[in-house]
Amino acid sequence: MKATKNPMRPVAAWVRRQPPKMKAFLAVVAAMAALLFLKMVVEDHDNLFVAAEVVHVLGTCVLIYKLIKEKTCAGLSLKSQELTAIFLAVRLYCSVVMEYDIHTLLDTATLVTTLWVIYMIRFKLRSTYMEDKDNFGIHYVVIPCAVLSLLVHPSTSHHLFNRICWAFCVYLEAISVLPQLRLMQNIEIIEPFTAHYVFALGVARFLSCAHWVIQVFDTRGRLLTALGYGFWPSFVLLSEIVQTFILADFCYYYVKSLVGGQLVVRLPSGVV
């Protein structure tokens, strides 16, 4: 009996043969098609933001399963987990004092699971932690975000400190994955559970970005005005787009490996 051919393999092979500019064009077309699809099938676009947070929680649960089953944290960036815990803690504080809704509960769940991952890496599985590969300085991330939040933040009626905190967590979330990407670039071969987690982050980032972009179009730009005046509304949208594109390369190689039937993701040098 002949093995069933995967119909996606010829498509993947064709995409691989295309020049970089064509690949970039195809990626933009795919993103626009995905946005249009979400706009058509999702009635309440706020659900996209909830879905993004749920996917993030599920991705972290994949990490927990990896740590429990394999007893190793190889391939995981402690620095990215710590940056994630920081922006989640700040966002949770802002949610409690400014909104307190379903996002508060989801942020709490994500923060608790992230803190558990940090505990496991720091204390239980320290011997398997790739400290020499996890060499991205977090001060290159935290300090610029803190300075930018002092300069550009919401102009709402909330207390100034709360508005600065809100801006800080938005900026930090956008680039908190950089240490993880740097570590993966250093090792070049990513085992399945870590790859699933980072891909989940990519999906979560895309859903969050889709939420903002669709809302801006639906309100004909009034949403940006509702967020305040000055540079802040544009910076919110820019942050969402940046964090989506940061993970775009990895997601491409993840899907490529999945279509090719590979259990691990191989990253060419210089991808991240």
Side-chain angles (χ1 to χ4, degrees):
M1 183 180 292
K2 292 184 179 180
T4 303
K5 289 186 177 181
N6 188 338
M8 291 300 296
R9 287 190 177 182
V11 177
W14 179 82
V15 172
R16 284 197 296 271
R17 292 195 299 268
Q18 302 309 305
K21 289 185 178 179
M22 177 57 75
K23 289 179 180 178
F25 172 75
L26 292 173
V28 171
V29 171
M32 293 177 65
L35 283 174
L36 182 61
F37 174 77
L38 289 173
K39 189 177 188 302
M40 293 173 61
V41 301
V42 180
E43 294 184 4
D44 186 353
H45 297 143
D46 285 336
N47 290 336
L48 291 174
F49 198 66
V50 175
E53 294 180 310
V54 170
V55 171
H56 190 169
V57 173
L58 293 176
T60 309
C61 289
V62 169
L63 282 190
I64 292 175
Y65 180 76
K66 164 191 166 70
L67 298 178
I68 293 175
K69 180 182 179 182
E70 299 189 349
K71 305 295 182 183
T72 176
C73 62
L76 292 181
S77 169
L78 174 61
K79 294 178 179 179
S80 262
Q81 294 301 315
E82 289 173 340
L83 290 174
T84 300
I86 291 172
F87 86 70
L88 283 172
V90 176
R91 191 165 74 185
L92 182 59
Y93 163 77
C94 293
S95 182
V96 169
V97 300
M98 299 168 72
E99 295 176 310
Y100 201 85
D101 51 16
I102 183 63
H103 303 295
T104 308
L105 300 177
L106 291 171
D107 282 342
T108 301
T110 312
L111 178 59
V112 169
T113 53
T114 301
L115 290 175
W116 190 89
V117 171
I118 292 173
Y119 169 77
M120 291 296 289
I121 296 176
R122 276 196 170 276
F123 301 106
K124 296 295 185 179
L125 303 172
R126 184 76 184 190
S127 61
T128 62
Y129 169 48
M130 297 178 171
E131 189 170 2
D132 59 322
K133 302 294 185 181
D134 194 12
N135 54 13
F136 191 98
I138 61 175
H139 56 280
Y140 292 121
V141 174
V142 175
I143 294 176
C145 289
V147 173
L148 187 59
S149 64
L150 291 173
L151 299 175
V152 182
H153 50 261
S155 56
T156 58
S157 59
H158 301 97
H159 191 278
L160 176 61
F161 177 76
N162 296 337
R163 287 184 279 138
I164 292 174
C165 286
W166 182 7
F168 176 72
C169 69
V170 167
Y171 301 144
L172 186 59
E173 180 184 13
I175 54 178
S176 61
V177 75
L178 287 180
Q180 179 65 55
L181 295 179
R182 177 66 172 273
L183 186 150
M184 293 191 303
Q185 183 187 45
N186 288 337
I187 61 178
E188 295 186 5
I189 299 177
I190 300 95
E191 54 79 37
F193 287 119
T194 303
H196 297 335
Y197 164 70
V198 179
F199 181 72
L201 290 184
V203 173
R205 299 293 198 265
F206 176 75
L207 290 173
S208 178
C209 182
H211 163 261
W212 284 102
V213 172
I214 292 174
Q215 290 284 68
V216 168
F217 277 101
D218 279 353
T219 61
R220 300 179 184 273
R222 291 192 299 274
L223 176 65
L224 295 178
T225 306
L227 291 173
Y229 53 84
F231 291 108
W232 169 246
S234 300
F235 272 50
V236 172
L237 190 58
L238 181 61
S239 296
E240 294 292 338
I241 295 173
V242 165
Q243 62 182 315
T244 301
F245 276 93
I246 282 177
L247 286 162
D249 265 355
F250 173 82
C251 290
Y252 165 75
Y253 285 100
Y254 175 89
V255 173
K256 176 183 174 182
S257 298
L258 202 64
V259 171
Q262 299 175 8
L263 293 178
V264 297
V265 178
R266 299 177 183 273
L267 295 180
S269 59
V271 167
V272 181

